[in-house]
Amino acid sequence: MPLSIRGLVKRYGETEVVAGIDLHLRPGECFTLLGPNGAGKTTTLRCALGLSAPDAGEIELAGLPVPGRAREARARVGVVPQQDNLDPDFSCAENLLVYGRYFGLQDAEIAARIPELLAFAGLEGRQGAKIGTLSGGMKRRLTLARALVNRPQLLVLDEPTTGLDPQARHLIWERLKQLIRGGTTVLLTTHFMDEAERLADRLAILDAGRILTQGSPREVIAAQIEPQVVEVFGEFDGNGGAPAWAARHAAALALRHEVSGETAFCYLTDPAPLLAHLATQPALRYLHRPANLEDVFLKLTGRELRD
Amino acid sequence: MKPIALDAARTTACPPSRWRPPRLSRRFVPVWRRNFLVWRKLALPSVLGNLADPVIYLFGLGLGLGMLVPEVAGVPYISFLAAGMVCFSTMNAASFEALYSGFSRMHVQKTWDAILNAPLELDDIVFAELVWAASKALLSGAAILLVVVLFGFAEARYALWVLPLIFLVGLCFAALGLVMTALAPSYDFFMYYFTLFITPMTLLAGVFFPLEQLPPALRLLTELLPLTHAVQLARPLLLGELPAQVSLHLAVLAAYAIGAFWLALAVLRRRLLK
């Protein structure tokens, strides 16, 4: 098993940042931890890597007990941290060389692998480039290549595409899919739904240190939320906006509804009666779509801002 | 069915004490090499920069003040000052590396975080920083040693014995510096260390004048300062004599190095392995 976590608890002072988490990764899958800021994603990863001592629970990483044998376990794992920490004094190739040495690899062995790693990162011909001259996307890709220097069986990524533009994100996703196809197990954290839906074989939604639900994206959507969503907004008969409309009609037409700002979100199985009703309200506008992971996420973790 | 109490005991982890002894291994070598590779890119300006300060002191004070005080403790003032400058230079090089450069790697560039994701432990990283700062100090101390020997301010007879001493002094001040780095919220913090510890110590440790000049009460204090013991070993060696109480001085320097390293590691474990 690449990673197995049972009953993980981590407290900082009185706060339980991780409040009893169970996770079992299967070899070759992409598992995603999805959660708002402060949900405990990064702390869970730190505990899994043996960088933070848990207050309770059992962890096994790459078949070895953590924290007891975390150091040896990390030899089989690659990590892409949330914050880039490439060596600014070094070129791309030097970054890979120096990092490979930390794994006890011989210089010749690493040097032979550098062209392949740079090609994977889309940085061919840039072996001599200083880190300061790279774009944000290039740095992330080089960090990803660096995490692969030891040919890890498990790759751990903490919010790998936060702060990247769409082109750069797509390229990272493309590379991760390539790795998953090649048999690498991937564990990633994110707060982007599209990232989770695109990449995850299975995912867990985390909030306040607990797993609220887990399964494949489809399973989670099917289990947690009504299949259809109608978002209603605009004017309602000169009586105010969608919130006023929802107060009067939504309960009768939808299984469940929520009002957020000027929009009413209606969740239902059969949208026909609601759509028929909306056809009689020309000032109201609406968007009808299938339920997605974001709906589940917002239902489970609420709509309040997390800072 | 398993008894519940046993089960709870099994799953409740007991975090290891952060005061556990340092676990040292050869794994520190790649981290030392990382720092060496960075240094190599800037080697010449770095060595010249480290030399400038002690050389200016040596010639400025040694020749200028030396005109007014022709002899101190039976030798020309500049010869008296030579050993002090070697120790001063070593101390400064180790301190700057462990403080400013160490803090950059730990806190600003997050280099340590990157290394911690590899199969190394914090103990390996901090030990590498210790040895690295002492290595740089060795270079600085050796450079000024070469200057004083070449200019004839020091006797060459025992001068090579000063090299291992320089390395030990480097370890001692690197370890003390790492304690500060472990505690520092920002670079500004290091100013206190220099103004409240390093500078007063330089003035009280017999670098510029013999300790006998100090009032007895202050003498007691100076005996506690690591730089005093460094100077008391280096000065006789550079005057071509064998120092007295060698094991005492070495023991004090070693005790500072080991004690401070352990303390730094404990504070860093709390800071970085939360």
Side-chain angles (χ1 to χ4, degrees):
Chain A
M1 284 265 262
L3 174 65
S4 175
I5 297 177
R6 233 180 318 242
L8 177 65
V9 175
K10 179 68 189 175
R11 291 184 204 97
Y12 290 125
E14 291 298 295
T15 324
E16 272 200 346
V17 183
V18 177
I21 278 186
D22 291 87
L23 277 184
H24 303 279
L25 265 64
R26 299 169 191 155
E29 75 172 339
C30 174
F31 193 98
T32 300
L33 286 176
L34 192 58
N37 291 332
K41 304 187 296 286
T42 301
T43 305
T44 303
L45 294 189
R46 285 181 61 81
C47 289
L49 292 167
L51 301 176
S52 188
D55 290 299
E58 283 172 38
I59 302 167
E60 216 179 89
L61 178 67
L64 297 170
V66 169
R69 297 179 67 189
R71 195 191 61 73
E72 292 155 88
R74 288 199 298 270
R76 305 172 195 173
V77 176
V79 181
V80 176
Q82 195 169 340
Q83 196 184 350
D84 278 319
N85 51 26
L86 294 161
D87 251 314
D89 298 301
F90 292 151
S91 67
C92 294
E94 284 169 336
N95 261 285
L96 298 173
L97 174 73
V98 167
Y99 208 72
R101 285 175 181 168
Y102 300 147
F103 287 84
L105 303 176
Q106 297 302 310
D107 283 10
E109 196 179 345
I110 309 165
R113 213 162 134 56
I114 285 175
E116 176 195 339
L117 287 169
L118 287 176
F120 181 82
L123 294 167
E124 297 98 331
R126 287 197 183 253
Q127 56 271 14
K130 277 287 183 74
I131 300 310
T133 65
L134 303 182
S135 70
M138 287 170 168
K139 282 184 200 160
R140 288 265 89 184
R141 269 143 44 206
L142 184 61
T143 306
L144 175 60
R146 189 183 70 174
L148 299 173
V149 75
N150 58 324
R151 302 181 192 273
Q153 34 176 282
L154 170 66
L155 182 64
V156 177
L157 306 102
D158 196 3
E159 300 193 5
T161 65
T162 297
L164 297 188
D165 63 29
Q167 287 84 351
R169 298 178 72 202
H170 276 272
L171 191 48
I172 294 270
W173 290 337
E174 182 44 50
R175 291 299 189 258
L176 289 180
K177 283 181 189 159
Q178 203 176 318
L179 288 169
I180 297 161
R181 275 200 304 275
T184 308
T185 310
V186 171
L187 170 62
L188 72 94
T189 75
T190 185
H191 49 244
F192 296 121
M193 309 302 140
D194 51 343
E195 190 158 283
E197 277 194 281
R198 243 171 245 270
L199 295 172
D201 295 305
R202 290 192 304 142
L203 60 88
I205 297 184
L206 225 76
D207 196 22
R210 289 175 200 284
I211 292 182
L212 304 176
T213 182
Q214 61 176 310
S216 74
R218 274 162 192 263
E219 282 167 8
V220 164
I221 294 167
Q224 296 291 333
I225 202 153
E226 301 78 5
Q228 302 286 323
V229 182
V230 178
E231 296 179 21
V232 181
F233 44 96
E235 287 298 309
F236 172 50
D237 281 352
N239 294 328
W245 169 84
R248 198 165 328 152
H249 297 291
L253 294 161
L255 294 172
R256 198 168 60 81
H257 73 277
E258 280 172 27
V259 172
S260 175
E262 288 302 303
T263 306
F265 293 82
C266 302
Y267 301 92
L268 26 69
T269 311
D270 174 16
L274 173 59
L275 296 178
H277 166 82
L278 287 170
T280 68
Q281 302 287 337
L284 278 175
R285 295 158 62 201
Y286 69 90
L287 170 69
H288 174 211
R289 58 177 176 80
N292 60 29
L293 216 43
E294 184 151 337
D295 298 309
V296 178
F297 187 83
L298 290 172
K299 179 186 168 194
L300 295 179
T301 65
R303 289 181 184 272
E304 298 82 42
L305 273 184
R306 309 298 177 93
D307 294 313
Chain B
M1 235 177 95
K2 268 182 276 179
I4 289 166
L6 255 183
D7 209 37
R10 192 172 58 89
T11 56
T12 300
C14 175
S17 162
R18 58 173 181 272
W19 293 101
R20 65 190 181 274
R23 190 154 39 166
L24 305 183
S25 77
R26 288 188 49 211
R27 288 188 297 267
F28 84 92
V29 173
V31 183
W32 187 95
R33 289 180 74 191
R34 179 232 164 256
N35 293 346
F36 177 71
L37 185 58
V38 176
W39 174 82
R40 223 175 52 184
K41 292 171 184 266
L42 304 159
L44 193 64
S46 166
V47 171
L48 291 179
N50 280 332
L51 250 175
D53 217 30
V55 165
I56 290 166
Y57 270 100
L58 183 73
F59 284 90
L61 283 178
L63 297 177
L65 203 59
M67 299 292 268
L68 303 173
V69 268
E71 278 206 346
V72 175
V75 295
Y77 183 60
I78 197 156
S79 298
F80 176 87
L81 192 59
M85 281 304 109
V86 170
C87 295
F88 170 76
S89 168
T90 306
M91 171 183 75
N92 270 350
S95 302
F96 272 98
E97 187 64 25
L99 294 166
Y100 290 92
S101 308
F103 188 75
S104 293
R105 291 188 283 265
M106 173 188 77
H107 187 73
V108 183
Q109 294 176 196
K110 307 279 180 199
T111 311
W112 294 13
D113 287 355
I115 301 172
L116 279 173
N117 287 327
L120 278 90
E121 293 186 32
L122 186 60
D123 302 30
D124 299 318
I125 299 175
V126 183
F127 186 55
E129 291 287 350
L130 175 81
V131 178
W132 168 249
S135 308
K136 262 192 90 168
L138 176 62
L139 222 103
S140 282
I144 184 81
L145 181 67
L146 189 68
V147 171
V148 296
V149 171
L150 284 183
F151 277 84
F153 303 145
E155 285 277 340
R157 198 187 315 164
Y158 297 128
L160 282 182
W161 283 104
V162 179
L163 288 176
L165 172 64
I166 290 173
F167 190 68
L168 177 62
V169 174
L171 288 173
C172 174
F173 284 99
L176 288 167
L178 283 170
V179 175
M180 288 299 115
T181 299
L183 295 168
S186 72
Y187 290 111
D188 300 330
F189 185 73
F190 299 140
M191 190 53 85
Y192 299 118
Y193 181 65
F194 278 101
T195 53
L196 298 177
F197 182 64
I198 293 286
T199 306
M201 180 167 54
T202 310
L203 293 172
L204 293 176
V207 169
F208 297 110
F209 54 82
L211 289 175
E212 291 73 28
Q213 301 297 315
L214 292 170
L218 219 48
R219 281 295 303 276
L220 274 174
L221 174 70
T222 62
E223 292 300 326
L224 297 174
L225 301 173
L227 189 61
T228 307
H229 298 273
V231 174
Q232 292 200 354
L233 287 171
R235 181 158 294 136
L237 287 172
L238 288 184
L239 296 174
E241 298 157 16
L242 288 172
Q245 292 181 300
V246 174
S247 34
L248 169 76
H249 298 311
L250 290 178
V252 171
L253 290 170
Y256 266 104
I258 295 168
F261 175 68
W262 198 325
L263 175 61
L265 188 58
V267 180
L268 286 166
R269 281 170 178 158
R270 188 186 60 184
R271 178 172 183 154
L272 297 170
L273 303 178
K274 289 186 291 223

